[in-house]
Amino acid sequence: MMRFNPCIIIPIYNHKDTIAAVVDRLSVYGYPVLIVDDGSDQATRHTLVQLAEQQPTVTLFHLPQNAGKGAAVLHGMRQAHRLGFSHALQVDADGQHDLDDVPAFMSVGESNPWAVISGKPIYDASAPAGRRYGRLVTHFWVWVETLSFSIGDSMCGFRLYPVAPTVQLIDRVRIPSRMAFDIEIIVRLFWAGLPVINQPTRVIYPEGGLSHFDMLRDNVRISAMHTRLFFGMLWRSPLLLWRKCFPRRFEEQHWSRQDERGTSLGLRLVMLTYRLLGDAGARALLRLIVLWFALTSGRARRASYEYLSRLHQVSGGVTPAPGWRNAYRHILSFAESGLDKLAAWTGRVAHRAIRFPQQPAFETLLASGKGAVLLGAHLGNLEMLRALANLNGIARVNAVVYTEHAQRFNGALSSVNPQFQVNLLQISDMGPDTAIRLRDKVDQGELLVIVGDRTPPADNGRVVPAQFLGHEALFPQGPFILGALLECPVYLFFCLKTDTGYQVEFEAFAEQLVLPRGERQQAISRYVQQYADRLAWYCQQAPLQWFNFFDFWARNRKQ
């Protein structure tokens, strides 16, 4: 499970008389507080600076000019994401929210880490009747726009967000920056597949309280937003109705224990089409299957957005931008790599141009008779190379894999060629038994292909943090410890698809991994960072070919 690591975000615009009391009340809970000053006047700015100096839990951010409550919350969300928080509780600065309910929001959020915990107001006599009745109009339209009654109140600003999917949304969709913000963001998060849990909470309207709601201007903006969301609902309605009829259990698991998507029937259909209509027919069918998968698999889609967003930023905007179209292309690239594996194991890849610039170095390794570790990743199509090596008797290439979560596809490849199971070494961890087994292979001059970008299925699998695409991520220690135990050369090995075929990349990583006593962990960290840096570089060369459709950057969690 994701480690629950929340913060509190307070957007503020000229509420200097109430903010100190709000922060003082929140301080008893000990959560970090991010205050985003939305271009307030000088008196408020002075109050905020003093508050940040006095309260150790407070971090203060300033927007240069007033951009609206939504803009302040969005800025806070991005800062929370940058700082590694998993969740952010939005609290207004005017004192309307009952802060005694903070523990309840946090408790529900910790038990439901992928849900939006949305406040459902309980009003007292201080609430203006016009405000309460006016909200009913918005509630009606939100129920229409979501085809659901799941969102109990779309206007309450007391709300706990899971940070990563929220930032993914705001990076690809323009969200209103003013009073329509609370409504549109929860509708779009619901569209994205996040569950909404309504948390009853008392709302107070302090006497003489300061409101920034402009009756005419903000109602016009909200009406325009509802019009936009209504038409957005129309083309999403089949998917919304499907979810309503077949609700999904939104649960986070280790990647190795997540069920395969798809059915045996679907795989057989693709294989039959491939045999009858050839490569072109199978790929045409695959596009339709992937379209359905992209629409219904929010988890994979969100992981794609996260990866593409980070890569786009690191590359300076050169790689594909995050968005629905590129997420579809990303998932399609993964599906097509499966067809290429099928083609390889059926011997139908002779027409494909496979370039191998470093082939002389690889042949020198083979001629030496030495065993080696080939360190790959879920990048490109290493399985296709194993097929070619096996079918052509080029070398003994062993794939060291965690395969329990992909039995259907592996079974399909085994059915077209029983040789698929040859030299396929399935493991559950990188313990001593595994090391002894693999040492025998290396001593016989065989090559071990293992990926270094998935944490191990075993609950005690050890990981090490490294910077990857500008942010910290967890990588497994196992492949690097194994490389040191085997006392053999280690190479990086990738097979990337190009416009004309595939290109094999083979480069020396270390003549031998050395883990000195007393500096073992530091050495592992250096090797992992070296690997992460090279993986990031290759991801920029083939941006749609890193197929790790999991929340890779989740802090303190095994993928």
Side-chain angles (χ1 to χ4, degrees), residues 399-421:
V400 183
V401 295
Y402 305 113
T403 60
E404 292 181 355
H405 73 300
Q407 293 291 352
R408 291 178 191 148
F409 185 71
N410 291 334
L413 291 181
S414 296
S415 69
V416 299
N417 191 331
Q419 291 295 308
F420 172 77
Q421 294 294 341

Side-chain angles (χ1 to χ4, degrees), residues 293-306:
F293 177 86
L295 288 171
T296 59
S297 181
R299 182 178 62 202
R301 202 169 57 245
R302 282 186 291 273
S304 176
Y305 290 153
E306 178 87 350

Side-chain angles (χ1 to χ4, degrees), residues 131-306:
R131 287 282 188 93
R132 284 183 286 169
Y133 297 139
R135 297 170 84 95
L136 294 177
V137 176
T138 281
H139 295 344
F140 167 78
W141 281 112
V142 166
W143 296 334
V144 170
E145 291 151 7
T146 59
L147 301 181
S148 169
F149 295 107
S150 296
I151 301 174
D153 189 290
S154 59
M155 301 182 74
C156 181
F158 200 7
R159 193 177 287 170
L160 181 68
Y161 294 94
V163 170
T166 302
V167 171
Q168 290 169 17
L169 173 69
I170 65 180
D171 280 346
R172 71 176 189 273
V173 177
R174 184 177 180 180
I175 304 293
S177 61
R178 297 193 180 272
M179 291 300 177
F181 163 80
D182 290 318
I183 304 167
E184 180 152 346
I185 195 168
I186 198 168
V187 168
R188 289 191 176 276
L189 287 171
F190 181 86
W191 283 354
L194 270 67
V196 175
I197 297 176
N198 299 296
Q199 176 64 34
T201 183
R202 195 165 64 96
V203 174
I204 308 163
Y205 281 80
E207 186 176 349
L210 176 63
S211 173
H212 299 301
F213 188 85
D214 185 287
M215 189 63 67
L216 177 61
R217 182 182 58 193
D218 286 319
N219 274 320
V220 168
R221 288 172 173 165
I222 289 173
S223 297
M225 175 206 64
H226 282 309
T227 302
R228 184 173 63 255
L229 292 179
F230 173 78
F231 285 104
M233 174 274 295
L234 291 180
W235 71 266
R236 291 178 173 88
S237 57
L239 178 58
L240 295 174
L241 291 172
W242 176 270
R243 288 179 184 165
K244 195 175 185 68
C245 296
F246 304 97
R248 295 178 298 144
R249 183 181 179 189
F250 204 101
E251 182 178 29
E252 182 189 27
Q253 293 177 311
H254 189 280
W255 64 266
S256 67
R257 292 189 286 269
Q258 293 180 11
D259 292 336
E260 291 177 90
R261 291 295 309 273
T263 64
S264 297
L265 176 61
L267 285 171
R268 287 198 298 268
L269 182 60
V270 171
M271 292 179 64
L272 179 62
T273 304
Y274 183 82
R275 286 168 173 163
L276 296 178
L277 302 179
D279 187 82
R283 290 180 192 277
L285 174 63
L286 202 61
R287 289 178 179 273
L288 297 176
I289 294 174
V290 169
L291 177 61
W292 174 249
F293 177 86
L295 288 171
T296 59
S297 181
R299 182 178 62 202
R301 202 169 57 245
R302 282 186 291 273
S304 176
Y305 290 153
E306 178 87 350

Side-chain angles (χ1 to χ4, degrees), residues 371-373 375 480 483-484 487-492 507-514 527 530:
V373 171
L375 192 58
F480 303 92
E487 299 178 315
C488 65
V490 178
Y491 297 85
L492 295 184
E507 66 174 69
F509 184 78
E511 183 60 32
Q512 183 180 332
L513 300 186
V514 179
Y527 287 129
Q530 180 184 343

Side-chain angles (χ1 to χ4, degrees), residues 372-383 385 398-401 448-454 468 475-476 479-480 490-496 505-507 509 528 531-532 534-536 538-539 545-548 552:
V373 171
L374 306 184
L375 192 58
H378 289 82
L379 177 72
N381 203 337
L382 283 176
E383 180 60 39
L385 287 183
N398 300 275
V400 183
V401 295
L448 303 177
V449 179
I450 187 168
V451 297
D453 59 348
R454 285 268 178 91
F468 179 56
F475 287 82
F480 303 92
V490 178
Y491 297 85
L492 295 184
F493 199 49
F494 306 109
C495 181
L496 306 179
E505 301 290 349
F506 177 75
E507 66 174 69
F509 184 78
V528 170
Y531 169 81
R534 294 305 294 157
L535 177 60
Y538 279 108
C539 283
Q545 294 184 53
W546 189 58
F547 304 135
N548 224 330
F552 196 73

